[in-house]
Amino acid sequence: MKQGLLAIAMAGVLAACATTTSSTGRTQYVGAVSQEQLNQLGAQAFTEAKQKGPLSQDAKQNAYVRCVVDAIVQQLPAAQRQIAWETAVFSQNEPNAFALPGGKVGVNSGIFTVAKNQDQLAAVIAHEIGHVIENHHDERITRQLGTQQILGIGAAVAGSRYGQTGSDLVGQLGGMGAQALILLPNSRDQETEADVVGQRLMSSAGFDPRAAVGLWQNMIAAGGGRPPQWLSTHPDPQSRIGELQARATQLVPVYEQARQAGRQPRCG
């Protein structure tokens, strides 16, 4: 009976989520927070990041990033184009970047050590913006909240049968299982999807999609060790490069058409 209640409760948690389909055809569970709440969370996180800083005062770097973001934003859906996108460059050596709901893009100055030209920088930024327009933040929040609710119900059921020891064990093992089997694989799916969407965006904006391959080769050369693939939130680097190469070949005509249509960014 208790197992039946757990199953019913789990079904209820999942039913509370909305199901949608991403632009790549992947089924997503979203709806734990509204778009307005997501935008507020994004704005708050961005403000906190800027306050923590340090922010780069290099005018050329800031203009460079702004130029690339503006070119990519022009290729977004209408609702996303209407947002007043904000950018910031952080004086941090780690080659990293992020984008947040509500039109926020942050880039570490260290990214310029691996993104050697505007096309490679566009590959980074388009990938991060891809996370935003594919609702990945909503999806992750929804999955995490759902997982926490299910684990809480499971721990309560185990506790009623086996006492506190059973409850603690389910909580510990359940958390590990959720991390390994639900949250991280979902992140790898999102990373792959952001690669797909990002290459499409950069190509439509007039950036060479083949540059994404060189970017990741540079990232591998600059990076050290990494955790096993099954414990990583990112796809295997070599597999990723192979997929980027295959898509780049398909997207070259899109890139050439964009250039012929006058979309020829000159960011730096």
Side-chain angles (χ1 to χ4, degrees):
M1 179 178 178
K2 291 171 182 174
Q3 291 177 342
L5 289 174
L6 176 59
I8 292 172
M10 291 173 66
V13 170
L14 293 175
C17 304
T19 302
T20 187
T21 303
S22 71
S23 69
T24 68
R26 186 172 62 86
T27 300
Q28 297 174 291
Y29 293 98
V30 297
V33 291
S34 67
Q35 187 60 53
E36 181 180 1
Q37 289 172 316
L38 281 171
N39 292 347
Q40 291 174 350
L41 289 171
Q44 179 180 345
F46 198 60
T47 297
E48 291 173 356
K50 290 190 297 180
Q51 289 173 344
K52 182 178 179 181
L55 292 172
S56 171
Q57 302 303 316
D58 188 315
K60 289 184 178 180
Q61 286 184 351
N62 280 276
Y64 182 22
V65 170
R66 179 82 245 179
C67 177
V68 172
V69 170
D70 286 346
I72 292 171
V73 166
Q74 291 305 309
Q75 304 309 308
L76 299 182
Q80 296 288 348
R81 289 199 306 272
Q82 295 172 2
I83 296 173
W85 285 76
E86 182 181 357
T87 64
V89 179
F90 297 87
S91 295
Q92 297 182 16
N93 293 330
E94 181 186 7
N96 202 5
F98 64 87
L100 298 170
K104 313 298 181 183
V105 177
V107 172
N108 287 357
S109 56
I111 201 69
F112 303 120
T113 63
V114 292
K116 305 293 187 179
N117 54 50
Q118 68 169 15
D119 297 304
Q120 291 184 354
L121 181 60
V124 176
I125 292 175
H127 170 95
E128 297 303 327
I129 290 178
H131 283 302
V132 174
I133 66 173
E134 293 300 330
N135 302 311
H136 289 172
H137 298 85
D138 186 354
E139 186 178 15
R140 284 189 61 74
I141 290 172
T142 299
R143 283 186 176 274
Q144 288 172 351
L145 290 177
T147 299
Q148 290 170 1
Q149 291 178 44
I150 290 170
L151 290 178
I153 295 167
V157 171
S160 67
R161 184 170 182 179
Y162 301 108
Q164 188 62 42
T165 300
S167 178
D168 292 344
L169 185 61
V170 168
Q172 293 170 7
L173 296 180
M176 292 172 61
Q179 185 72 5
L181 300 178
I182 299 176
L183 303 181
L184 290 181
N186 181 62
S187 296
R188 287 197 294 271
D189 287 343
Q190 290 181 341
E191 289 297 327
T192 299
E193 187 165 69
D195 278 349
V196 173
V197 174
Q199 268 187 301
R200 291 175 182 170
L201 284 174
M202 67 182 294
S203 302
S204 298
F207 296 104
D208 191 339
R210 293 166 292 195
V213 177
L215 168 72
W216 278 99
Q217 290 171 336
N218 294 344
M219 291 283 281
I220 292 174
R226 52 165 291 154
Q229 182 179 359
W230 65 276
L231 281 180
S232 172
T233 59
H234 289 67
D236 175 75
Q238 295 300 334
S239 298
R240 191 175 206 168
I241 286 175
E243 293 171 358
L244 289 168
Q245 287 176 325
R247 279 194 299 271
T249 301
Q250 299 171 357
L251 288 169
V252 165
V254 176
Y255 160 66
E256 292 175 342
Q257 290 172 8
R259 302 286 290 185
Q260 292 170 4
R263 295 192 291 275
Q264 302 179 16
R266 294 180 176 85
C267 299

